[in-house]
Structures are given as structure tokens and as C-alpha cells.
């Protein structure tokens, strides 16, 4: 039987940054609320959560990197909404935000989670921010909590969780 290691959905004592864009505020605010709800439900105290606002989605990766490098957080949750308009701007922004967050996540000693929705219509965005399709901010928070606990079990150096756990695989 192989050894199976997976994270739990318990966030007591963990600290999170939620990096959120202000552009498309009416959708993003629902994603932020979903992320906060998820963190609170798993045990994170409000004083252990910081919401960092960017002007738009394009700036999310840079601020996420700063949050990682600050050493203040166990996980970073990125949320935003890029909605297709009548120009190719959507394609450029959606691709660069996605690539940027991926680059930060790949080089980060702590979990950096992608919770940016990219949709063709406002209706689709609203569906993904708390109606028919659930809340992608909540989903991103659950992913961050689980990954923080998984990193802790793996004894990831450079994270407050890993530094205190000392777990061996």
C-alpha cells in the first residue's frame, strides 16, 4: 500500500493574504467574500487575514510575489475577474495574469493559489462568484488551506507552517 499524504481543511494559526483586483469590483467583491468565508470556516482568525487590493488583474502577480517575499503569510490567494469585451484586451490580460500567478506559484516556498475567473460574459462571472457555479473565491481558499497543510506535512522550509511542523516524509 503506498503512503498517501494530503492536506486537511483546518487553518487555525495560519496567515493568509488575499490579493484582489478592484477592476470588475461588483464580481471580485463576491470572490473576496467567498475566500474570507472559507478561511473563517476552517479556523482562520480575521487578524490573520490581509486583503491586498490591486487596480486591475494585470497587477495581481506582482503583488502576490511581494506578499510571498514579505514572509508574513503561509498562503496567498489571488482573486479577480477578467471579462471579455469587444477588443482583444481580454486575451492579453487573461493570459498574462494566469502566467504571472503561475510563475509566482512555481517559485514560491508557500502556496499561491489561482482564483481569477475569466469569462465571456458578465452573467458567467456572476455565476462563478456565488450563484449557479459556486464561488471560485471560496474554492481558492479551500485549496490554499489544504496546500498549507500539505506543505506543513512535507516540512517545506521557508514557511512558518513548515518551520514549526518539522514533519518528515
Amino acid at each position: 500500500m503506498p503512503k498517501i499524504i494530503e492536506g486537511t481543511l483546518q487553518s487555525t494559526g495560519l496567515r493568509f493574504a488575499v490579493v484582489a483586483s478592484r477592476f470588475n469590483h461588483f464580481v471580485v467583491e463576491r470572490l473576496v467574500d467567498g475566500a474570507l468565508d472559507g478561511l473563517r470556516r476552517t479556523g482562520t482568525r480575521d487578524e490573520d487575514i490581509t486583503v491586498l487590493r490591486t487596480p486591475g488583474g494585470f497587477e495581481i502577480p506582482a503583488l502576490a510575489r511581494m506578499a510571498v517575499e514579505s514572509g508574513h503569510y503561509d498562503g496567498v490567494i489571488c482573486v479577480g475577474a477578467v471579462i471579455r469585451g469587444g477588443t482583444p484586451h481580454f486575451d492579453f490580460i487573461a493570459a498574462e495574469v494566469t502566467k504571472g500567478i503561475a510563475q509566482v506559484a512555481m517559485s514560491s516556498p508557500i502556496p499561491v493559489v489561482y482564483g481569477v475567473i475569466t469569462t465571456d460574459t458578465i452573467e458567467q462571472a456572476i455565476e462563478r462568484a456565488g450563484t449557479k457555479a459556486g464561488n471560485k473565491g471560496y474554492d481558492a481558499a479551500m485549496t490554499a488551506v489544504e496546500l498549507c497543510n500539505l506543505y506543513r506535512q512535507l516540512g517545506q522550509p521557508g514557511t512558518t507552517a513548515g518551520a514549526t511542523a518539522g514533519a518528515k516524509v
Side-chain angles (χ1 to χ4, degrees), residues 68-105:
V68 168
E69 291 174 352
S70 76
H72 290 71
Y73 308 105
D74 297 293
V76 177
I77 303 161
C78 302
V79 296
V82 183
I83 303 169
R84 187 178 300 280
T87 68
H89 182 74
F90 167 88
D91 298 309
F92 300 124
I93 297 300
E96 294 307 316
V97 169
T98 301
K99 283 192 290 188
I101 293 171
Q103 288 174 346
V104 173

PDB file of all heavy atoms in Angstrom, residues 68-105:
ATOM      1  N   VAL A  68       4.408  37.033  -0.900  1.00  0.00           N
ATOM      2  CA  VAL A  68       5.238  35.856  -0.628  1.00  0.00           C
ATOM      3  C   VAL A  68       6.555  36.287  -0.003  1.00  0.00           C
ATOM      4  O   VAL A  68       6.976  35.750   1.031  1.00  0.00           O
ATOM      5  CB  VAL A  68       5.496  35.054  -1.927  1.00  0.00           C
ATOM      6  CG1 VAL A  68       6.590  34.012  -1.713  1.00  0.00           C
ATOM      7  CG2 VAL A  68       4.219  34.400  -2.431  1.00  0.00           C
ATOM      8  N   GLU A  69       7.217  37.245  -0.629  1.00  0.00           N
ATOM      9  CA  GLU A  69       8.541  37.665  -0.182  1.00  0.00           C
ATOM     10  C   GLU A  69       8.523  38.366   1.173  1.00  0.00           C
ATOM     11  O   GLU A  69       9.548  38.420   1.851  1.00  0.00           O
ATOM     12  CB  GLU A  69       9.185  38.563  -1.242  1.00  0.00           C
ATOM     13  CG  GLU A  69       9.537  37.792  -2.504  1.00  0.00           C
ATOM     14  CD  GLU A  69      10.038  38.674  -3.638  1.00  0.00           C
ATOM     15  OE1 GLU A  69       9.982  39.924  -3.518  1.00  0.00           O
ATOM     16  OE2 GLU A  69      10.451  38.111  -4.663  1.00  0.00           O
ATOM     17  N   SER A  70       7.364  38.866   1.599  1.00  0.00           N
ATOM     18  CA  SER A  70       7.281  39.544   2.893  1.00  0.00           C
ATOM     19  C   SER A  70       7.536  38.591   4.062  1.00  0.00           C
ATOM     20  O   SER A  70       7.945  39.019   5.134  1.00  0.00           O
ATOM     21  CB  SER A  70       5.914  40.207   3.068  1.00  0.00           C
ATOM     22  OG  SER A  70       4.915  39.233   3.377  1.00  0.00           O
ATOM     23  N   GLY A  71       7.247  37.316   3.861  1.00  0.00           N
ATOM     24  CA  GLY A  71       7.403  36.350   4.943  1.00  0.00           C
ATOM     25  C   GLY A  71       6.313  36.404   5.988  1.00  0.00           C
ATOM     26  O   GLY A  71       6.385  35.726   7.005  1.00  0.00           O
ATOM     27  N   HIS A  72       5.266  37.192   5.734  1.00  0.00           N
ATOM     28  CA  HIS A  72       4.186  37.362   6.708  1.00  0.00           C
ATOM     29  C   HIS A  72       3.062  36.325   6.578  1.00  0.00           C
ATOM     30  O   HIS A  72       2.198  36.261   7.438  1.00  0.00           O
ATOM     31  CB  HIS A  72       3.557  38.747   6.556  1.00  0.00           C
ATOM     32  CG  HIS A  72       4.451  39.861   6.998  1.00  0.00           C
ATOM     33  ND1 HIS A  72       5.572  40.240   6.307  1.00  0.00           N
ATOM     34  CD2 HIS A  72       4.387  40.668   8.072  1.00  0.00           C
ATOM     35  CE1 HIS A  72       6.150  41.241   6.916  1.00  0.00           C
ATOM     36  NE2 HIS A  72       5.466  41.520   8.001  1.00  0.00           N
ATOM     37  N   TYR A  73       3.060  35.570   5.487  1.00  0.00           N
ATOM     38  CA  TYR A  73       1.894  34.724   5.192  1.00  0.00           C
ATOM     39  C   TYR A  73       2.293  33.273   4.975  1.00  0.00           C
ATOM     40  O   TYR A  73       3.387  32.966   4.530  1.00  0.00           O
ATOM     41  CB  TYR A  73       1.169  35.253   3.954  1.00  0.00           C
ATOM     42  CG  TYR A  73       0.847  36.718   4.076  1.00  0.00           C
ATOM     43  CD1 TYR A  73       1.575  37.676   3.366  1.00  0.00           C
ATOM     44  CD2 TYR A  73      -0.156  37.159   4.940  1.00  0.00           C
ATOM     45  CE1 TYR A  73       1.295  39.031   3.504  1.00  0.00           C
ATOM     46  CE2 TYR A  73      -0.426  38.505   5.084  1.00  0.00           C
ATOM     47  CZ  TYR A  73       0.302  39.437   4.369  1.00  0.00           C
ATOM     48  OH  TYR A  73       0.037  40.763   4.509  1.00  0.00           O
ATOM     49  N   ASP A  74       1.348  32.388   5.267  1.00  0.00           N
ATOM     50  CA  ASP A  74       1.503  30.960   4.998  1.00  0.00           C
ATOM     51  C   ASP A  74       0.941  30.597   3.633  1.00  0.00           C
ATOM     52  O   ASP A  74       1.279  29.551   3.081  1.00  0.00           O
ATOM     53  CB  ASP A  74       0.793  30.140   6.077  1.00  0.00           C
ATOM     54  CG  ASP A  74       1.401  30.377   7.446  1.00  0.00           C
ATOM     55  OD1 ASP A  74       2.563  29.986   7.637  1.00  0.00           O
ATOM     56  OD2 ASP A  74       0.723  30.970   8.301  1.00  0.00           O
ATOM     57  N   GLY A  75       0.062  31.442   3.101  1.00  0.00           N
ATOM     58  CA  GLY A  75      -0.526  31.202   1.795  1.00  0.00           C
ATOM     59  C   GLY A  75      -1.037  32.498   1.193  1.00  0.00           C
ATOM     60  O   GLY A  75      -1.380  33.439   1.914  1.00  0.00           O
ATOM     61  N   VAL A  76      -1.069  32.531  -0.141  1.00  0.00           N
ATOM     62  CA  VAL A  76      -1.559  33.698  -0.876  1.00  0.00           C
ATOM     63  C   VAL A  76      -2.659  33.232  -1.819  1.00  0.00           C
ATOM     64  O   VAL A  76      -2.473  32.273  -2.575  1.00  0.00           O
ATOM     65  CB  VAL A  76      -0.419  34.373  -1.684  1.00  0.00           C
ATOM     66  CG1 VAL A  76      -0.956  35.536  -2.506  1.00  0.00           C
ATOM     67  CG2 VAL A  76       0.696  34.831  -0.748  1.00  0.00           C
ATOM     68  N   ILE A  77      -3.782  33.923  -1.758  1.00  0.00           N
ATOM     69  CA  ILE A  77      -4.945  33.598  -2.593  1.00  0.00           C
ATOM     70  C   ILE A  77      -5.175  34.767  -3.537  1.00  0.00           C
ATOM     71  O   ILE A  77      -5.402  35.894  -3.094  1.00  0.00           O
ATOM     72  CB  ILE A  77      -6.191  33.367  -1.714  1.00  0.00           C
ATOM     73  CG1 ILE A  77      -5.925  32.254  -0.700  1.00  0.00           C
ATOM     74  CG2 ILE A  77      -7.413  33.065  -2.582  1.00  0.00           C
ATOM     75  CD1 ILE A  77      -6.885  32.259   0.476  1.00  0.00           C
ATOM     76  N   CYS A  78      -5.111  34.502  -4.832  1.00  0.00           N
ATOM     77  CA  CYS A  78      -5.293  35.547  -5.844  1.00  0.00           C
ATOM     78  C   CYS A  78      -6.704  35.458  -6.432  1.00  0.00           C
ATOM     79  O   CYS A  78      -7.094  34.400  -6.929  1.00  0.00           O
ATOM     80  CB  CYS A  78      -4.276  35.377  -6.966  1.00  0.00           C
ATOM     81  SG  CYS A  78      -2.560  35.419  -6.414  1.00  0.00           S
ATOM     82  N   VAL A  79      -7.451  36.554  -6.359  1.00  0.00           N
ATOM     83  CA  VAL A  79      -8.795  36.575  -6.937  1.00  0.00           C
ATOM     84  C   VAL A  79      -8.977  37.810  -7.803  1.00  0.00           C
ATOM     85  O   VAL A  79      -8.442  38.877  -7.512  1.00  0.00           O
ATOM     86  CB  VAL A  79      -9.912  36.504  -5.872  1.00  0.00           C
ATOM     87  CG1 VAL A  79      -9.883  35.188  -5.112  1.00  0.00           C
ATOM     88  CG2 VAL A  79      -9.841  37.667  -4.904  1.00  0.00           C
ATOM     89  N   GLY A  80      -9.729  37.639  -8.860  1.00  0.00           N
ATOM     90  CA  GLY A  80     -10.025  38.729  -9.774  1.00  0.00           C
ATOM     91  C   GLY A  80     -11.010  38.235 -10.814  1.00  0.00           C
ATOM     92  O   GLY A  80     -11.364  37.048 -10.855  1.00  0.00           O
ATOM     93  N   ALA A  81     -11.444  39.138 -11.669  1.00  0.00           N
ATOM     94  CA  ALA A  81     -12.380  38.785 -12.742  1.00  0.00           C
ATOM     95  C   ALA A  81     -11.970  39.506 -14.016  1.00  0.00           C
ATOM     96  O   ALA A  81     -11.892  40.726 -14.038  1.00  0.00           O
ATOM     97  CB  ALA A  81     -13.811  39.158 -12.361  1.00  0.00           C
ATOM     98  N   VAL A  82     -11.698  38.718 -15.043  1.00  0.00           N
ATOM     99  CA  VAL A  82     -11.383  39.267 -16.355  1.00  0.00           C
ATOM    100  C   VAL A  82     -12.527  38.843 -17.269  1.00  0.00           C
ATOM    101  O   VAL A  82     -12.733  37.652 -17.508  1.00  0.00           O
ATOM    102  CB  VAL A  82     -10.028  38.747 -16.880  1.00  0.00           C
ATOM    103  CG1 VAL A  82      -9.694  39.398 -18.217  1.00  0.00           C
ATOM    104  CG2 VAL A  82      -8.923  39.002 -15.864  1.00  0.00           C
ATOM    105  N   ILE A  83     -13.290  39.841 -17.725  1.00  0.00           N
ATOM    106  CA  ILE A  83     -14.488  39.579 -18.517  1.00  0.00           C
ATOM    107  C   ILE A  83     -14.260  40.077 -19.940  1.00  0.00           C
ATOM    108  O   ILE A  83     -13.853  41.228 -20.143  1.00  0.00           O
ATOM    109  CB  ILE A  83     -15.719  40.261 -17.877  1.00  0.00           C
ATOM    110  CG1 ILE A  83     -15.883  39.777 -16.426  1.00  0.00           C
ATOM    111  CG2 ILE A  83     -16.981  39.976 -18.702  1.00  0.00           C
ATOM    112  CD1 ILE A  83     -16.899  40.558 -15.611  1.00  0.00           C
ATOM    113  N   ARG A  84     -14.548  39.226 -20.913  1.00  0.00           N
ATOM    114  CA  ARG A  84     -14.326  39.560 -22.316  1.00  0.00           C
ATOM    115  C   ARG A  84     -15.141  40.789 -22.718  1.00  0.00           C
ATOM    116  O   ARG A  84     -16.292  40.928 -22.348  1.00  0.00           O
ATOM    117  CB  ARG A  84     -14.702  38.386 -23.217  1.00  0.00           C
ATOM    118  CG  ARG A  84     -14.330  38.620 -24.679  1.00  0.00           C
ATOM    119  CD  ARG A  84     -14.667  37.436 -25.556  1.00  0.00           C
ATOM    120  NE  ARG A  84     -13.986  36.216 -25.181  1.00  0.00           N
ATOM    121  CZ  ARG A  84     -12.729  35.910 -25.494  1.00  0.00           C
ATOM    122  NH1 ARG A  84     -12.010  36.771 -26.200  1.00  0.00           N
ATOM    123  NH2 ARG A  84     -12.195  34.778 -25.113  1.00  0.00           N
ATOM    124  N   GLY A  85     -14.495  41.653 -23.449  1.00  0.00           N
ATOM    125  CA  GLY A  85     -15.164  42.828 -24.000  1.00  0.00           C
ATOM    126  C   GLY A  85     -15.108  42.767 -25.516  1.00  0.00           C
ATOM    127  O   GLY A  85     -14.937  41.701 -26.100  1.00  0.00           O
ATOM    128  N   GLY A  86     -15.195  43.907 -26.153  1.00  0.00           N
ATOM    129  CA  GLY A  86     -15.229  43.965 -27.608  1.00  0.00           C
ATOM    130  C   GLY A  86     -13.867  44.080 -28.262  1.00  0.00           C
ATOM    131  O   GLY A  86     -13.785  44.210 -29.481  1.00  0.00           O
ATOM    132  N   THR A  87     -12.780  44.006 -27.469  1.00  0.00           N
ATOM    133  CA  THR A  87     -11.433  44.142 -28.032  1.00  0.00           C
ATOM    134  C   THR A  87     -10.580  42.951 -27.606  1.00  0.00           C
ATOM    135  O   THR A  87     -10.962  42.209 -26.692  1.00  0.00           O
ATOM    136  CB  THR A  87     -10.750  45.434 -27.522  1.00  0.00           C
ATOM    137  OG1 THR A  87     -10.480  45.288 -26.126  1.00  0.00           O
ATOM    138  CG2 THR A  87     -11.625  46.662 -27.765  1.00  0.00           C
ATOM    139  N   PRO A  88      -9.414  42.763 -28.203  1.00  0.00           N
ATOM    140  CA  PRO A  88      -8.550  41.647 -27.810  1.00  0.00           C
ATOM    141  C   PRO A  88      -7.865  41.839 -26.454  1.00  0.00           C
ATOM    142  O   PRO A  88      -7.129  40.964 -26.008  1.00  0.00           O
ATOM    143  CB  PRO A  88      -7.509  41.570 -28.934  1.00  0.00           C
ATOM    144  CG  PRO A  88      -7.608  42.833 -29.685  1.00  0.00           C
ATOM    145  CD  PRO A  88      -8.941  43.446 -29.396  1.00  0.00           C
ATOM    146  N   HIS A  89      -8.121  42.942 -25.782  1.00  0.00           N
ATOM    147  CA  HIS A  89      -7.528  43.222 -24.473  1.00  0.00           C
ATOM    148  C   HIS A  89      -7.726  42.042 -23.513  1.00  0.00           C
ATOM    149  O   HIS A  89      -6.815  41.677 -22.765  1.00  0.00           O
ATOM    150  CB  HIS A  89      -8.163  44.499 -23.916  1.00  0.00           C
ATOM    151  CG  HIS A  89      -7.607  44.938 -22.602  1.00  0.00           C
ATOM    152  ND1 HIS A  89      -6.374  45.525 -22.464  1.00  0.00           N
ATOM    153  CD2 HIS A  89      -8.134  44.863 -21.348  1.00  0.00           C
ATOM    154  CE1 HIS A  89      -6.161  45.810 -21.194  1.00  0.00           C
ATOM    155  NE2 HIS A  89      -7.211  45.407 -20.495  1.00  0.00           N
ATOM    156  N   PHE A  90      -8.895  41.440 -23.525  1.00  0.00           N
ATOM    157  CA  PHE A  90      -9.217  40.300 -22.664  1.00  0.00           C
ATOM    158  C   PHE A  90      -8.175  39.193 -22.808  1.00  0.00           C
ATOM    159  O   PHE A  90      -7.684  38.660 -21.823  1.00  0.00           O
ATOM    160  CB  PHE A  90     -10.607  39.747 -23.000  1.00  0.00           C
ATOM    161  CG  PHE A  90     -10.898  38.407 -22.386  1.00  0.00           C
ATOM    162  CD1 PHE A  90     -11.452  38.295 -21.124  1.00  0.00           C
ATOM    163  CD2 PHE A  90     -10.617  37.233 -23.085  1.00  0.00           C
ATOM    164  CE1 PHE A  90     -11.720  37.056 -20.558  1.00  0.00           C
ATOM    165  CE2 PHE A  90     -10.877  35.991 -22.527  1.00  0.00           C
ATOM    166  CZ  PHE A  90     -11.433  35.901 -21.257  1.00  0.00           C
ATOM    167  N   ASP A  91      -7.873  38.844 -24.057  1.00  0.00           N
ATOM    168  CA  ASP A  91      -6.946  37.738 -24.308  1.00  0.00           C
ATOM    169  C   ASP A  91      -5.576  38.006 -23.704  1.00  0.00           C
ATOM    170  O   ASP A  91      -4.959  37.117 -23.106  1.00  0.00           O
ATOM    171  CB  ASP A  91      -6.818  37.484 -25.811  1.00  0.00           C
ATOM    172  CG  ASP A  91      -8.149  37.081 -26.427  1.00  0.00           C
ATOM    173  OD1 ASP A  91      -8.787  36.154 -25.893  1.00  0.00           O
ATOM    174  OD2 ASP A  91      -8.554  37.713 -27.419  1.00  0.00           O
ATOM    175  N   PHE A  92      -5.102  39.228 -23.852  1.00  0.00           N
ATOM    176  CA  PHE A  92      -3.780  39.577 -23.327  1.00  0.00           C
ATOM    177  C   PHE A  92      -3.768  39.557 -21.799  1.00  0.00           C
ATOM    178  O   PHE A  92      -2.870  38.984 -21.180  1.00  0.00           O
ATOM    179  CB  PHE A  92      -3.338  40.959 -23.828  1.00  0.00           C
ATOM    180  CG  PHE A  92      -3.259  41.040 -25.327  1.00  0.00           C
ATOM    181  CD1 PHE A  92      -3.973  42.009 -26.008  1.00  0.00           C
ATOM    182  CD2 PHE A  92      -2.488  40.144 -26.062  1.00  0.00           C
ATOM    183  CE1 PHE A  92      -3.915  42.086 -27.392  1.00  0.00           C
ATOM    184  CE2 PHE A  92      -2.418  40.219 -27.435  1.00  0.00           C
ATOM    185  CZ  PHE A  92      -3.132  41.191 -28.111  1.00  0.00           C
ATOM    186  N   ILE A  93      -4.758  40.182 -21.200  1.00  0.00           N
ATOM    187  CA  ILE A  93      -4.789  40.265 -19.731  1.00  0.00           C
ATOM    188  C   ILE A  93      -4.997  38.887 -19.116  1.00  0.00           C
ATOM    189  O   ILE A  93      -4.288  38.505 -18.183  1.00  0.00           O
ATOM    190  CB  ILE A  93      -5.869  41.262 -19.250  1.00  0.00           C
ATOM    191  CG1 ILE A  93      -5.554  42.671 -19.736  1.00  0.00           C
ATOM    192  CG2 ILE A  93      -6.009  41.217 -17.727  1.00  0.00           C
ATOM    193  CD1 ILE A  93      -4.222  43.219 -19.249  1.00  0.00           C
ATOM    194  N   ALA A  94      -5.971  38.123 -19.619  1.00  0.00           N
ATOM    195  CA  ALA A  94      -6.231  36.790 -19.065  1.00  0.00           C
ATOM    196  C   ALA A  94      -4.981  35.919 -19.135  1.00  0.00           C
ATOM    197  O   ALA A  94      -4.627  35.239 -18.160  1.00  0.00           O
ATOM    198  CB  ALA A  94      -7.394  36.127 -19.805  1.00  0.00           C
ATOM    199  N   ALA A  95      -4.281  35.951 -20.257  1.00  0.00           N
ATOM    200  CA  ALA A  95      -3.087  35.128 -20.412  1.00  0.00           C
ATOM    201  C   ALA A  95      -1.966  35.583 -19.477  1.00  0.00           C
ATOM    202  O   ALA A  95      -1.313  34.753 -18.826  1.00  0.00           O
ATOM    203  CB  ALA A  95      -2.607  35.164 -21.862  1.00  0.00           C
ATOM    204  N   GLU A  96      -1.742  36.885 -19.393  1.00  0.00           N
ATOM    205  CA  GLU A  96      -0.628  37.381 -18.579  1.00  0.00           C
ATOM    206  C   GLU A  96      -0.877  37.216 -17.088  1.00  0.00           C
ATOM    207  O   GLU A  96       0.049  36.909 -16.334  1.00  0.00           O
ATOM    208  CB  GLU A  96      -0.318  38.841 -18.922  1.00  0.00           C
ATOM    209  CG  GLU A  96       0.220  39.020 -20.330  1.00  0.00           C
ATOM    210  CD  GLU A  96       1.425  38.132 -20.636  1.00  0.00           C
ATOM    211  OE1 GLU A  96       2.342  38.028 -19.793  1.00  0.00           O
ATOM    212  OE2 GLU A  96       1.440  37.531 -21.728  1.00  0.00           O
ATOM    213  N   VAL A  97      -2.109  37.409 -16.645  1.00  0.00           N
ATOM    214  CA  VAL A  97      -2.427  37.200 -15.222  1.00  0.00           C
ATOM    215  C   VAL A  97      -2.206  35.734 -14.869  1.00  0.00           C
ATOM    216  O   VAL A  97      -1.599  35.417 -13.842  1.00  0.00           O
ATOM    217  CB  VAL A  97      -3.872  37.632 -14.900  1.00  0.00           C
ATOM    218  CG1 VAL A  97      -4.288  37.179 -13.517  1.00  0.00           C
ATOM    219  CG2 VAL A  97      -4.032  39.119 -15.050  1.00  0.00           C
ATOM    220  N   THR A  98      -2.680  34.855 -15.721  1.00  0.00           N
ATOM    221  CA  THR A  98      -2.539  33.424 -15.477  1.00  0.00           C
ATOM    222  C   THR A  98      -1.074  33.017 -15.454  1.00  0.00           C
ATOM    223  O   THR A  98      -0.625  32.323 -14.534  1.00  0.00           O
ATOM    224  CB  THR A  98      -3.316  32.629 -16.545  1.00  0.00           C
ATOM    225  OG1 THR A  98      -4.695  33.020 -16.478  1.00  0.00           O
ATOM    226  CG2 THR A  98      -3.191  31.131 -16.315  1.00  0.00           C
ATOM    227  N   LYS A  99      -0.311  33.426 -16.455  1.00  0.00           N
ATOM    228  CA  LYS A  99       1.118  33.102 -16.496  1.00  0.00           C
ATOM    229  C   LYS A  99       1.850  33.700 -15.301  1.00  0.00           C
ATOM    230  O   LYS A  99       2.723  33.058 -14.708  1.00  0.00           O
ATOM    231  CB  LYS A  99       1.756  33.608 -17.791  1.00  0.00           C
ATOM    232  CG  LYS A  99       1.454  32.743 -18.996  1.00  0.00           C
ATOM    233  CD  LYS A  99       2.325  33.114 -20.178  1.00  0.00           C
ATOM    234  CE  LYS A  99       1.924  34.455 -20.732  1.00  0.00           C
ATOM    235  NZ  LYS A  99       2.618  34.790 -21.995  1.00  0.00           N
ATOM    236  N   GLY A 100       1.518  34.940 -14.958  1.00  0.00           N
ATOM    237  CA  GLY A 100       2.195  35.607 -13.850  1.00  0.00           C
ATOM    238  C   GLY A 100       1.964  34.914 -12.526  1.00  0.00           C
ATOM    239  O   GLY A 100       2.915  34.694 -11.752  1.00  0.00           O
ATOM    240  N   ILE A 101       0.732  34.560 -12.246  1.00  0.00           N
ATOM    241  CA  ILE A 101       0.431  33.859 -10.991  1.00  0.00           C
ATOM    242  C   ILE A 101       1.117  32.494 -10.989  1.00  0.00           C
ATOM    243  O   ILE A 101       1.676  32.076  -9.972  1.00  0.00           O
ATOM    244  CB  ILE A 101      -1.090  33.741 -10.758  1.00  0.00           C
ATOM    245  CG1 ILE A 101      -1.685  35.135 -10.525  1.00  0.00           C
ATOM    246  CG2 ILE A 101      -1.391  32.811  -9.587  1.00  0.00           C
ATOM    247  CD1 ILE A 101      -3.207  35.171 -10.507  1.00  0.00           C
ATOM    248  N   ALA A 102       1.113  31.809 -12.127  1.00  0.00           N
ATOM    249  CA  ALA A 102       1.778  30.508 -12.216  1.00  0.00           C
ATOM    250  C   ALA A 102       3.275  30.642 -11.931  1.00  0.00           C
ATOM    251  O   ALA A 102       3.858  29.819 -11.214  1.00  0.00           O
ATOM    252  CB  ALA A 102       1.545  29.876 -13.582  1.00  0.00           C
ATOM    253  N   GLN A 103       3.901  31.672 -12.467  1.00  0.00           N
ATOM    254  CA  GLN A 103       5.330  31.883 -12.221  1.00  0.00           C
ATOM    255  C   GLN A 103       5.616  32.136 -10.748  1.00  0.00           C
ATOM    256  O   GLN A 103       6.578  31.595 -10.190  1.00  0.00           O
ATOM    257  CB  GLN A 103       5.852  33.048 -13.064  1.00  0.00           C
ATOM    258  CG  GLN A 103       5.966  32.723 -14.533  1.00  0.00           C
ATOM    259  CD  GLN A 103       6.349  33.935 -15.360  1.00  0.00           C
ATOM    260  OE1 GLN A 103       6.295  35.070 -14.905  1.00  0.00           O
ATOM    261  NE2 GLN A 103       6.730  33.683 -16.604  1.00  0.00           N
ATOM    262  N   VAL A 104       4.782  32.945 -10.120  1.00  0.00           N
ATOM    263  CA  VAL A 104       4.966  33.202  -8.691  1.00  0.00           C
ATOM    264  C   VAL A 104       4.776  31.905  -7.910  1.00  0.00           C
ATOM    265  O   VAL A 104       5.567  31.574  -7.025  1.00  0.00           O
ATOM    266  CB  VAL A 104       4.006  34.304  -8.188  1.00  0.00           C
ATOM    267  CG1 VAL A 104       4.079  34.450  -6.676  1.00  0.00           C
ATOM    268  CG2 VAL A 104       4.299  35.632  -8.879  1.00  0.00           C
ATOM    269  N   ALA A 105       3.741  31.159  -8.237  1.00  0.00           N
ATOM    270  CA  ALA A 105       3.454  29.911  -7.517  1.00  0.00           C
ATOM    271  C   ALA A 105       4.591  28.910  -7.659  1.00  0.00           C
ATOM    272  O   ALA A 105       4.966  28.252  -6.680  1.00  0.00           O
ATOM    273  CB  ALA A 105       2.149  29.302  -8.021  1.00  0.00           C
TER     274      ALA A 105
END
